[in-house]
Amino acid sequence: MRGRSIRLSILIVFILGLSVASLAFRDISFDLPGLPAFNRGGTGPLGLRLGLDLRGGAHLVYQADTDTRTEVTFTEPVDQADIESLLSELGFEGYEVRPGGQTSFQIKTPFLNEARQQELHDALGERLGAIASIQFSEPVSVTPDKMEGVLNTINRRVNLFGTDEPIVQRFGEDRIIVQLPGASGSVTSVEFSEPAATADLELLLQEKGYENFTVKRRNDRSYQVRTVSLSQEQRQELRDALASEIGSLASFQVIGGIEAAKSLIGSTAQLEFKERTCGSLGPGGLCLNPTD
């Protein structure tokens, strides 16, 4: 009985030692004859690859645009607010009105059948004035072949982004989900024409409302700033603020981030996509708190 306990203790110590050894090394690779190869390596803890839920990143949902666009031109000037009020009275939801001048407008609505198109045509003419011309766009036809073509196109573009293990897959009949682990935040490389102090740069970022940023000094003129993802407008605002409050810029470049991913993916030749950015994910990868 005592001998059995000793052997069991030795076995437990051996297993614990093997476990500690396997966790102590970031990169592990076994390729023994007759056994399946095992490789582990990554930028996460213990060399594990962290997914979107653990290290953050971009979760984009692209949906085929099947809306109806109505191009209408009146003989007299019309107020955009009057068109929007009329659409609300007719029960339209999710519409968008874009002026092309005082008499021309593009009205974007969910799909309109022929009866609904005629209803809109009559209401515009009766309530807002004579119509010089009106044209309803044909809705985009979503087919499995077209969706597969779009999926392949996005896959090729995403592979150029450089993130580990991106996920691009169809979701339902007219949507594509793109997940890019680690594609969160922006890295701004800035070089001033004259020496600049780190403290001044940090103070400026604080005054502009930036949080959780880091400033890395390369030399007395060159810095690298990590922030949340910056839109094109925010990048221009940051550039202007640095130039006016710190000093003239020799160079300014922003890379990475969700905006860069969006720009790389772009729109496709086969389908026009409308994009939603998910605030968070729910069970089964469902998008929660989407923003257009």
Side-chain angles (χ1 to χ4, degrees):
M1 179 67 69
R2 184 178 180 182
R4 182 178 179 183
S5 298
I6 292 175
R7 289 193 297 272
L8 182 59
S9 298
I10 293 175
L11 178 61
I12 293 174
V13 171
F14 174 77
I15 293 175
L16 288 175
L18 183 62
S19 300
V20 171
S22 64
L23 295 176
F25 298 95
R26 181 178 297 273
D27 298 318
I28 297 179
S29 178
F30 296 121
D31 190 9
L32 301 178
L35 295 177
F38 173 79
N39 294 280
R40 187 189 73 193
T43 57
L46 308 177
L48 301 177
R49 297 183 184 275
L50 302 184
L52 189 66
D53 55 338
L54 294 179
R55 60 172 166 144
H59 179 91
L60 305 175
V61 180
Y62 290 88
Q63 183 173 8
D65 188 349
T66 57
D67 293 336
T68 297
R69 285 174 172 77
T70 304
E71 304 284 348
V72 57
T73 301
F74 298 91
T75 57
E76 300 291 338
V78 173
D79 194 332
Q80 178 180 340
D82 291 338
I83 298 179
E84 294 173 344
S85 178
L86 175 60
L87 293 172
S88 296
E89 292 179 17
L90 294 175
F92 288 98
E93 296 180 354
Y95 60 80
E96 180 181 351
V97 179
R98 296 181 179 178
Q102 292 184 326
T103 59
S104 298
F105 298 87
Q106 181 189 84
I107 304 173
K108 180 180 177 182
T109 59
F111 169 69
L112 302 180
N113 56 29
E114 291 186 7
R116 197 65 163 151
Q117 290 179 12
Q118 188 63 48
E119 180 184 9
L120 178 59
H121 175 277
D122 295 342
L124 290 172
E126 292 172 2
R127 297 278 297 276
L128 301 180
I131 296 176
S133 65
I134 187 169
Q135 182 177 2
F136 297 93
S137 66
E138 291 294 328
V140 173
S141 174
V142 178
T143 65
D145 287 342
K146 287 183 178 180
M147 291 300 296
E148 193 63 30
V150 172
L151 186 69
N152 293 334
T153 299
I154 292 180
N155 253 315
R156 290 195 300 269
R157 295 176 181 176
V158 164
N159 288 335
L160 298 175
F161 191 71
T163 60
D164 291 335
E165 300 178 355
I167 296 175
V168 182
Q169 60 186 15
R170 286 182 58 181
F171 185 73
E173 296 181 354
D174 62 350
R175 284 179 288 176
I176 292 177
I177 291 177
V178 180
Q179 292 186 349
L180 301 173
S184 60
S186 293
V187 180
T188 302
S189 297
V190 56
E191 182 178 354
F192 297 95
S193 300
E194 300 292 337
T198 304
D200 293 340
L201 188 54
E202 292 175 341
L203 179 60
L204 172 64
L205 293 171
Q206 292 174 358
E207 291 176 348
K208 296 299 179 181
Y210 288 92
E211 298 179 354
N212 301 323
F213 63 83
T214 60
V215 177
K216 181 179 179 180
R217 181 179 182 274
R218 292 173 173 172
N219 54 55
D220 60 352
R221 299 185 183 184
S222 180
Y223 292 87
Q224 184 183 81
V225 180
R226 290 184 176 270
T227 62
V228 296
S229 295
L230 302 179
S231 65
Q232 294 296 333
E233 181 179 355
Q234 290 172 323
R235 296 180 187 191
Q236 188 59 48
E237 291 176 353
L238 178 58
R239 180 182 186 130
D240 294 342
L242 292 172
S244 62
E245 301 185 32
I246 302 296
S248 60
L249 303 179
S251 66
F252 180 90
Q253 182 181 26
V254 183
I255 60 175
I258 296 176
E259 288 299 323
K262 294 177 184 178
S263 177
L264 179 63
I265 295 173
S267 52
T268 70
Q270 292 176 291
L271 287 180
E272 182 177 1
F273 276 77
K274 54 186 178 183
E275 168 199 308
R276 295 189 305 157
T277 301
C278 292
S280 57
L281 299 181
L286 295 178
C287 179
L288 303 178
N289 305 321
T291 57
D292 292 331

